[in-house]
Amino acid sequence: MVDKDEASFGAISDHARGNMLRGYSTALEGWRRGLNLQIKIDHTNRMDEVVEYILADGITTHHFEGSVGDHVSKEAIAICSDKSVLREHLQKAHIKMPDGKIFDEGATAETIGEYIQEKSHPLAVKSTDGNLVKHIHNDEEIKEAMEYLKDKMDGHKIIVEKHLEGENSQLYVVGEEVFHLTGQPASEDARKLALEAVRSIPGLPQGSVLININEGTEECTVIDINPHADIKKNESLSGDALRDVPKAIMDYYFPATKDFNREMAERLYFDFDHVYTSSKRGKLGYMEIPSIPEDVRLTRFILMAERFPKSFLGWVQSTAVKSGVSGSIRKLSERRISLVLGGSREDINAFTNLLKKKCRRFKHPVKFTRKKRTTPVMQGFHIIENPSLDSKKVKSLRQENKKLKKEISALKKTRPDTSKNNYRKFVRRLARVRKKGQ
């Protein structure tokens, strides 16, 4: 789990990785532009959880699933989901694709096999839903493909097409913008082809296009189109795509927000963990995320004192929430506390004055040292547990605790009178272990 106190746009909740990253990153971009955000997680399909959200500016409202907005028609999604229908649309638009043939559900493995044997290798055999894929490079793999088809093809249309050599590049189109996501940098021809391919699908203003680029001729061929932005892992993206793609999507759906203050907006992010766990626990409706302040300031303090009251961290949290200040507080040691703050200058100053007034009433004087803060702060105010006891250390302490209990029990049974001193030593050791684990 990423430490929230040090989180940034590229160091976010583990729940916002995988397919949900595209939804989180796009929703975050809209929220940071001052748009009203309502969000939930659809857990219906455990293998493909979806971030659903609504963004609104007071005049215009748009619904999204992942990176796909409501300008994408149901027809377009259906076309891209059925690869045989997709091929037909691309062919009508004269978009270059791999040579191939579609076999309907009634075709036998033998019929498909005869066609495969007539064609030169390499070939790709796949179902029209894109899930059943087998590559053929030699005669031995033809036999394997035949067995595979007999076992898997029931109820599926099958596509057999030329498997192209070269490197595949993933491009993303939204409106008139084309972005390079993965693979080698896209040429102007590849970018033009991606734009034409998306335009050939009715009701598809945005989508990912997988293009094969021949190493020798640099000829470009469309392999697939997907309505979703193929943002899955931060490290898989080229350049600044993780930021650029959500930005382009928001520019397309909310053009009036293009000139928002990015420097200020990027200083806060919302608690996606809370959204995820709330949805997981059965909260089915949308959660409204509080709006981001217009003028966001960040700062950090180190508080030092001989001793802090036990209730201090809780008081700071409740007071910060009431003051409209985001951030976190962490006890670094018995004498040192880290306090991170984010919010408007006015709210931070008001909260800081309350904090210092509170500290002046303590038995032990508190020293405030201001530090610079540049990384984003999570909205809301959070108490962060001291990470000094990591999971391995906790496990080790528990094992030692269990071992001591067994030794004490044995001492009581075998030498109840003569081992009192040893027994007291074990009790003291046990108390120390328990204290470390707290």
Side-chain angles (χ1 to χ4, degrees):
M1 182 67 190
V2 177
D3 182 354
K4 290 186 178 67
D5 190 35
E6 297 300 325
S8 64
F9 191 90
I12 56 179
S13 161
D14 288 339
H15 292 136
R17 297 192 181 277
N19 289 332
M20 284 200 293
L21 179 56
R22 56 195 176 204
Y24 169 80
S25 57
T26 310
L28 178 64
E29 175 72 17
W31 177 73
R32 281 175 164 172
R33 294 185 180 207
L35 300 173
N36 295 323
L37 171 63
Q38 297 179 65
I39 187 169
K40 68 177 181 179
I41 312 297
D42 183 356
H43 299 281
T44 306
N45 186 346
R46 293 184 180 180
M47 299 298 293
D48 189 20
E49 296 170 313
V50 178
V51 182
E52 297 182 15
Y53 51 102
I54 301 169
L55 289 168
D57 62 4
I59 300 174
T60 305
T61 300
H62 289 294
H63 294 70
F64 294 81
E65 290 188 10
S67 60
V68 178
D70 50 21
H71 281 178
V72 177
S73 69
K74 292 181 179 179
E75 179 191 5
I77 294 173
I79 291 171
C80 293
S81 299
D82 188 326
K83 302 310 175 185
S84 64
V85 179
L86 176 62
R87 280 185 66 91
E88 291 171 359
H89 276 80
L90 293 175
Q91 285 174 339
K92 287 179 183 178
H94 305 290
I95 303 297
K96 183 165 180 57
M97 297 177 300
D99 293 333
K101 184 175 181 179
I102 302 170
F103 294 86
D104 63 28
E105 293 92 333
T108 64
E110 287 73 18
T111 302
I112 298 173
E114 290 175 4
Y115 177 82
I116 290 173
Q117 288 175 333
E118 292 174 359
K119 298 296 178 180
S120 59
H121 309 142
L123 297 170
V125 182
K126 57 188 181 183
S127 63
T128 53
D129 62 5
N131 291 323
L132 191 160
V133 179
K134 193 74 175 176
H135 293 114
I136 299 173
H137 295 85
N138 52 53
D139 291 343
E140 184 62 32
E141 289 183 349
I142 290 179
K143 295 178 183 178
E144 293 177 6
M146 296 299 295
E147 293 299 321
Y148 190 70
L149 288 170
K150 287 178 181 178
D151 184 45
K152 301 285 187 179
M153 68 180 291
D154 288 348
H156 292 287
K157 288 184 179 180
I158 298 296
I159 300 174
V160 180
E161 63 185 22
K162 189 71 175 176
H163 178 60
L164 302 178
E165 302 295 344
E167 185 175 351
N168 292 340
S169 286
Q170 193 88 33
L171 303 181
Y172 183 74
V173 176
V174 54
E176 299 298 314
E177 299 277 357
V178 182
F179 296 91
H180 167 227
L181 293 182
T182 60
Q184 68 183 55
S187 64
E188 189 58 36
D189 286 344
R191 297 169 70 86
K192 183 180 178 181
L193 181 61
L195 191 58
E196 291 175 351
V198 168
R199 285 175 175 171
S200 72
I201 309 302
L204 186 67
Q206 57 177 125
S208 294
V209 185
L210 183 63
I211 291 181
N212 177 271
I213 303 173
N214 185 284
E215 292 179 357
T217 64
E218 295 190 357
E219 185 178 39
C220 299
T221 306
V222 172
I223 305 298
D224 192 20
I225 301 178
N226 189 324
H228 298 281
D230 195 19
I231 299 175
K232 291 185 179 179
K233 290 190 292 188
N234 195 9
E235 61 269 19
S236 74
L237 300 176
S238 60
D240 239 358
L242 183 62
R243 293 175 184 271
D244 289 345
V245 169
K247 179 180 182 298
I249 294 172
M250 287 300 103
D251 286 350
Y252 176 74
Y253 282 91
F254 294 95
T257 67
K258 285 184 178 180
D259 298 325
F260 77 105
N261 188 334
R262 178 176 290 277
E263 181 184 357
M264 290 293 179
E266 289 185 347
R267 293 177 178 179
L268 286 184
Y269 63 103
F270 63 87
D271 188 354
F272 189 76
D273 272 347
H274 179 59
V275 174
Y276 184 89
T277 54
S278 295
S279 298
K280 198 77 172 178
R281 288 171 185 160
K283 183 177 175 58
L284 302 178
Y286 286 94
M287 296 181 62
E288 187 162 356
I289 305 299
S291 299
I292 191 170
E294 291 183 4
D295 180 22
V296 181
R297 305 288 172 171
L298 301 180
T299 191
R300 179 171 176 250
F301 291 97
I302 297 295
L303 279 58
M304 298 182 63
E306 189 67 26
R307 183 178 296 176
F308 290 95
K310 290 182 179 180
S311 61
F312 182 58
L313 269 61
W315 180 89
V316 171
Q317 182 183 44
S318 61
T319 306
V321 170
K322 291 175 184 176
S323 302
V325 174
S326 294
S328 61
I329 188 167
R330 179 194 303 219
K331 197 172 183 180
L332 302 176
S333 68
E334 292 300 320
R335 299 181 180 183
R336 296 175 71 244
I337 286 175
S338 171
L339 177 63
V340 175
L341 303 176
S344 69
R345 186 194 300 273
E346 182 180 350
D347 288 341
I348 288 178
N349 287 341
F351 167 74
T352 304
N353 289 335
L354 288 173
L355 177 63
K356 290 182 177 180
K357 184 177 180 180
K358 175 77 171 179
C359 289
R360 283 195 292 268
R361 297 200 294 266
F362 291 170
K363 180 179 179 181
H364 303 282
V366 179
K367 178 183 177 183
F368 282 73
T369 303
R370 186 185 288 269
K371 300 283 186 179
K372 187 177 181 180
R373 175 74 181 194
T374 56
T375 53
V377 171
M378 185 165 66
Q379 186 192 54
F381 199 90
H382 310 270
I383 298 175
I384 299 177
E385 298 297 327
N386 193 327
S388 60
L389 290 177
D390 57 32
S391 58
K392 290 183 179 179
K393 191 169 183 180
V394 170
K395 185 177 180 181
S396 175
L397 287 169
R398 286 175 178 168
Q399 290 174 344
E400 187 178 351
N401 192 345
K402 189 175 181 180
K403 182 179 178 182
L404 284 170
K405 284 182 177 180
K406 288 182 178 180
E407 290 181 27
I408 291 171
S409 179
L411 280 170
K412 285 181 177 179
K413 292 177 181 178
T414 57
R415 302 179 64 186
D417 297 323
T418 60
S419 59
K420 287 183 179 179
N421 289 335
N422 286 337
Y423 174 73
R424 293 193 186 99
K425 289 179 182 179
F426 276 115
V427 170
R428 287 196 292 270
R429 281 178 60 198
L430 179 60
R432 286 196 296 270
V433 169
R434 287 176 173 169
K435 187 176 181 180
K436 287 181 182 178
Q438 290 177 348

